[in-house]
């Protein structure tokens, strides 16, 4: 594999391609210049234009058909950034992404800066599959950013892998994004009407275009980011790297987590969760505040903050971070995820008591809540399942068929724990119902006398527009059904959900409010248009004029 920096790779390989492909790349450059992007290029469509090392396999070649087939926009991801004057930042980022692998298993990437020269590598697959020792050594530098991503549906394509790399008239930018913009359709349509060219279906590309356009008109990248935040709506936690600065950005409502860490020898780390700081030897300093822009200037080594967008009273941290997404060893907004999940179990025992012989949890995020239920109820806690740790989360698999197949080999019942016993089974949520029904059947097949299902979240009734993997309300088992009807589908003896009153009380020390729109339907921000799965794949003239607004 030939690995070169952006500029070197572009210049040395430009002549390898046919005149037709060279002309097409040149047209992209000219059009980008015409729309005011200063020659900005999102470097991933053609090998000569993307400035990346040659792909490890033919399956990574991006075609327009791949882009058309990509069906999902919403993503739950993990971001990481590091400035370390001692170097080895790519290797440290690798460790950080490993710790964040639970947040995305579809694709990953790392970009690094060494003497103002930017190099990057990204691909579909797990962190351990995408990166080898040679790649990491050639990516090395004193600053790096990384990203893990999953696509909610459709084909995994390299075009949507991050970091997204932009070359423009004033340098380069690498951007990593966790979240989802609720006005992405409107912003993208405006940019397309002005001549902008998009190569993927991610709303992250919209953010890249807007920041780049503003950067060419303003004196600094942080000023350009602040200007861009004026028009962004929805959830976004960003880590951005320029030639001399590492920047962390969080949306004004603080939907997605982002924290700051310090390194023992000097330097700073940004990460979606504090568990990534632990994995890289960094110490948790604090969370990035909602609306805050935090800048590390490598020229001075100083950390400074811009709070022009801070101060909203209605902060909206996604409560599912505490229920499901985050690792239990993480601390978010000053509150332990592990303790929050145990508290959910305690509340469940108070709300839905039952006579039983053993309490078990569904690995992994149901275990802490099961422990809390056991402690509050006095019913013994047991290990009811052994999980195959080489199978990814069913909640973040790409299709329903993949989810169903994963359950068959993901969990195995410890029959000695449940045989002949009345079992309280605790899980974090019921989304589609398929997985829950299969797990309950596994317990009955193993000899459980009774199965009482307890859920450490309220019924999931409404779609999420801020980055969670359920965009379609029709897929939710709780939509239009009461608890008894849901229980008939999953096959438990009894079913009990955590109340909406208690779900916002899980994280006792959290310094934020919580978004519970997926339970209540009360959104702080709604998209102007329903975000159908192919909205960014349709041509402008193909988009129906009668698309319904939300609520119609």
């Amino acid at each position: 594999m030939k690995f070169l920096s952006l500029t070197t790779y572009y210049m040395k390989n430009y002549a390898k391609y046919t005149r037709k492909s060279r002309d097409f790349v040149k047209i992209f450059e000219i059009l980008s210049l015409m729309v005011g992007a200063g020659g900005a290029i999102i470097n991933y469509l053609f090998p000569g234009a993307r400035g990346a090392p040659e792909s490890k396999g033919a399956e990574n070649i991006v075609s327009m058909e791949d882009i058309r087939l990509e069906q999902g926009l919403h993503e739950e991801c993990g971001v990481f950034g590091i400035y370390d004057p001692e170097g080895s930042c790519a290797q440290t980022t690798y460790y950080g992404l490993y710790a964040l692998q639970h947040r995305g298993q579809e694709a990953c990437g790392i970009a690094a800066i060494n003497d103002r020269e930017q190099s990057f590598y990204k691909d579909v697959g797990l962190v351990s599959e995408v990166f080898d020792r040679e790649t990491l050594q050639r990516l090395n530098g004193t600053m790096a950013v990384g990203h893990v991503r999953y696509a909610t549906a459709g084909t995994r394509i390299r075009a949507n892998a991050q970091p997204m790399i932009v070359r423009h008239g004033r340098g380069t930018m690498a951007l990593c994004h966790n979240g989802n913009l609720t006005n992405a359709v409107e912003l993208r349509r405006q940019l397309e009407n002005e001549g902008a060219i998009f190569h993927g279906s991610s709303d992250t590309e919209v953010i890249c275009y807007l920041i780049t356009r503003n950067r060419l008109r303003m004196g600094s990248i942080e000023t350009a980011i602040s200007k861009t935040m004026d028009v962004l709506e929805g959830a976004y936690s960003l880590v951005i790297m320029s030639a001399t600065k590492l920047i962390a950005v969080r949306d004004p409502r603080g939907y997605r987590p982002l924290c700051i860490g310090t390194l023992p020898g000097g330097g700073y780390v940004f990460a979606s969760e504090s568990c990534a700081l632990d994995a890289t030897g960094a110490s948790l300093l604090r969370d990035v505040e909602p609306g805050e822009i935090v800048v590390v200037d490598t020229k001075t080594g100083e950390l400074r903050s811009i709070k022009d967008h801070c101060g909203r009273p209605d902060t909206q941290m996604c409560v599912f971070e505490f229920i499901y997404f985050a690792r239990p060893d993480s601390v978010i907004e000053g509150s332990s995820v592990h303790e929050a999940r145990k508290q959910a179990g305690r509340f469940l025992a108070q709300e839905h008591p039952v006579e039983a012989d053993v309490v078990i949890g569904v690995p992994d995020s149901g275990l802490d809540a099961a422990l809390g239920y056991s402690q509050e109820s006095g019913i013994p806690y047991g290990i009811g399942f052994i999980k195959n740790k080489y199978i990814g989360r069913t909640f973040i698999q790409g299709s329903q068929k993949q989810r169903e197949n994963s359950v068959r080999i993901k969990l195995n019942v410890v029959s000695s724990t449940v045989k002949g016993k009345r079992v309280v089974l605790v899980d974090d949520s019921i989304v589609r119902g398929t997985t829950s029904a299969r797990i309950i059947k596994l317990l009955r097949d193993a000899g459980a006398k009774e199965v009482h299902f307890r859920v450490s979240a309220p019924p999931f009734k409404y779609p999420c527009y801020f980055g969670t993997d359920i965009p379609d309300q029709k897929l939710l088992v709780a939509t239009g059904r009461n608890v008894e009807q849901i229980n008939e589908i999953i096959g438990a003896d009894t079913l009990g959900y955590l109340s909406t009153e208690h779900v916002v009380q899980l994280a006792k020390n959290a310094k934020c409010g919580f978004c519970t729109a997926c339970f209540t339907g009360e959104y702080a921000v709604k998209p102007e248009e329903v975000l159908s799965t192919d909205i960014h794949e349709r041509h402008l003239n193909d988009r129906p004029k009668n698309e319904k607004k939300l609520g119609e």
Side-chain angles (χ1 to χ4, degrees):
M1 180 182 70
K2 188 69 173 175
F3 196 104
L4 301 168
S5 68
L6 286 175
T7 306
T8 306
Y9 184 86
Y10 186 79
M11 296 302 294
K12 289 191 176 183
N13 291 277
Y14 188 81
K16 291 190 341 185
Y17 304 99
T18 64
R19 178 174 298 278
K20 181 177 180 180
S21 65
R22 291 201 309 268
D23 290 345
F24 201 35
V25 171
K26 194 63 179 176
I27 290 171
F28 272 30
E29 293 177 343
I30 294 170
L31 285 174
S32 296
L33 181 62
M34 290 173 63
V35 299
I41 303 171
I42 310 297
N43 296 281
Y44 44 68
L45 184 55
F46 295 97
R50 65 183 175 227
E54 294 175 359
S55 173
K56 291 182 179 179
E59 70 276 7
N60 301 316
I61 296 174
V62 179
S63 69
M64 297 308 292
E65 182 69 9
D66 288 330
I67 295 172
R68 187 185 67 79
L69 290 174
E70 174 73 0
Q71 296 180 354
L73 305 178
H74 319 303
E75 52 193 351
E76 179 60 43
C77 306
V79 298
F80 187 90
I82 179 172
Y83 163 66
D84 186 354
E86 296 181 1
S88 300
C89 284
Q91 184 71 49
T92 306
T93 301
Y94 176 79
Y95 295 142
L97 294 184
Y98 233 121
L100 296 172
Q101 186 76 85
H102 60 285
R103 297 186 71 88
Q105 302 169 354
E106 297 282 354
C108 59
I110 295 174
I113 289 285
N114 191 14
D115 294 329
R116 300 174 69 92
E117 278 289 319
Q118 181 168 278
S119 302
F120 73 96
Y121 192 83
K122 56 184 180 178
D123 215 334
V124 294
L126 300 173
V127 174
S128 59
E129 298 169 341
V130 170
F131 295 102
D132 53 30
R133 182 177 300 177
E134 180 184 8
T135 304
L136 292 172
Q137 288 175 345
R138 292 173 177 175
L139 275 171
N140 228 345
T142 57
M143 187 163 51
V145 295
H147 188 270
V148 289
R149 176 185 188 266
Y150 86 84
T152 62
T155 306
R156 301 182 302 172
I157 61 171
R158 192 171 184 264
N160 283 337
Q162 298 182 37
M164 286 200 170
I165 309 299
V166 179
R167 299 171 59 220
H168 56 79
R170 293 191 175 183
T172 62
M173 177 181 71
L175 185 145
C176 301
H177 173 214
N178 173 28
N180 196 73
L181 300 183
T182 56
N183 63 339
V185 174
E186 175 189 352
L187 293 174
R188 179 162 176 153
R189 189 169 293 161
Q190 290 174 0
L191 291 167
E192 287 176 331
N193 285 333
E194 294 170 3
I197 300 164
F198 290 87
H199 308 317
S201 59
S202 172
D203 55 356
T204 307
E205 199 171 350
V206 173
I207 301 174
C208 285
Y209 258 104
L210 293 171
I211 292 176
T212 301
R213 187 169 65 177
N214 288 327
R215 175 66 183 96
L216 294 167
R217 300 169 181 172
M218 297 177 177
S220 68
I221 187 170
E222 56 266 38
T223 305
I225 292 169
S226 182
K227 180 69 173 177
T228 301
M229 291 175 70
D230 292 340
V231 299
L232 299 182
E233 286 285 357
Y236 55 91
S237 286
L238 310 174
V239 174
I240 301 169
M241 181 176 67
S242 70
T244 61
K245 294 174 183 176
L246 182 68
I247 303 171
V249 185
R250 198 169 170 206
D251 70 80
R253 289 185 174 86
Y255 283 105
R256 296 296 166 198
L258 193 60
C259 62
I260 309 169
T262 57
L263 294 169
Y268 295 94
V269 175
F270 300 133
S272 292
E273 295 181 37
S274 64
C275 65
L277 305 184
D278 299 333
T280 56
S283 300
L284 177 62
L285 178 63
R286 64 178 178 87
D287 292 282
V288 177
E289 295 180 23
E292 186 179 16
I293 301 172
V294 182
V295 183
V296 177
D297 192 330
T298 61
K299 293 180 180 178
T300 63
E302 296 179 349
L303 185 81
R304 54 189 175 86
S305 173
I306 301 171
K307 297 188 177 183
D308 295 345
H309 293 84
C310 294
R312 289 191 69 107
D314 56 338
T315 55
Q316 296 275 315
M317 162 71 72
C318 174
V319 74
F320 247 77
E321 292 287 351
F322 284 98
I323 295 170
Y324 177 82
F325 289 128
R327 251 174 51 169
D329 53 332
S330 288
V331 176
I332 298 176
E333 292 289 351
S335 187
S336 164
V337 174
H338 169 67
E339 293 298 331
R341 290 177 184 169
K342 284 204 302 180
Q343 184 60 48
R346 295 188 190 101
F347 283 144
L348 272 175
Q350 295 168 12
E351 294 181 16
H352 302 286
V354 67
E355 293 185 3
D357 304 308
V358 66
V359 179
I360 64 173
V362 178
D364 288 312
S365 45
L367 298 178
D368 302 304
L371 181 59
Y373 193 104
S374 172
Q375 292 173 345
E376 182 70 18
S377 66
I379 302 171
Y381 174 80
I383 302 298
F385 293 98
I386 298 299
K387 178 183 176 182
N388 184 337
K389 296 185 181 300
Y390 299 96
I391 303 297
R393 287 180 165 189
T394 55
F395 190 48
I396 60 175
Q397 296 298 319
S399 68
Q400 180 70 8
K401 184 177 181 180
Q402 287 176 322
R403 278 182 284 270
E404 292 175 359
N405 290 338
S406 293
V407 175
R408 298 172 186 171
I409 58 175
K410 183 176 181 179
L411 298 175
N412 193 35
V413 180
V414 180
S415 58
S416 60
T417 300
V418 304
K419 188 174 182 179
K421 296 180 182 179
R422 298 167 297 176
V423 178
V424 175
L425 174 65
V426 182
D427 202 357
D428 54 76
S429 61
I430 304 176
V431 183
R432 298 167 177 86
T434 304
T435 300
S436 300
R438 290 180 180 275
I439 290 174
I440 291 169
K441 186 177 185 301
L442 287 176
L443 290 174
R444 295 199 186 280
D445 291 345
K449 185 188 300 184
E450 299 174 5
V451 180
H452 303 276
F453 201 20
R454 299 294 179 264
V455 185
S456 59
F460 202 163
K461 296 181 178 180
Y462 302 93
C464 174
Y465 302 105
F466 309 112
T468 302
D469 178 22
I470 301 294
D472 191 341
Q473 194 171 359
K474 296 190 297 292
L475 297 176
L476 304 176
V477 70
T479 299
R481 297 184 179 94
N482 59 32
V483 174
E484 290 74 20
Q485 291 170 328
I486 298 170
N487 195 35
E488 289 180 7
I489 293 173
I490 65 174
D493 289 277
T494 64
L495 171 63
Y497 284 93
L498 187 65
S499 67
T500 54
E501 175 187 358
H502 276 150
V503 76
V504 295
Q505 301 176 28
L506 302 183
K508 291 183 178 180
N509 301 319
K511 304 181 290 291
C512 62
F514 291 103
C515 176
T516 58
C518 54
F519 310 133
T520 65
E522 298 174 1
Y523 299 92
V525 181
K526 282 187 179 181
E528 290 298 318
E529 299 181 58
V530 176
L531 299 180
S532 60
T533 56
D534 65 344
I535 188 72
H536 285 343
E537 281 72 48
R538 292 184 242 155
H539 296 292
L540 288 173
N541 56 358
D542 291 337
R543 293 173 184 165
K545 295 180 179 179
N546 61 346
E547 280 185 323
K548 290 185 178 181
K549 303 283 187 178
L550 279 175
E552 292 185 347

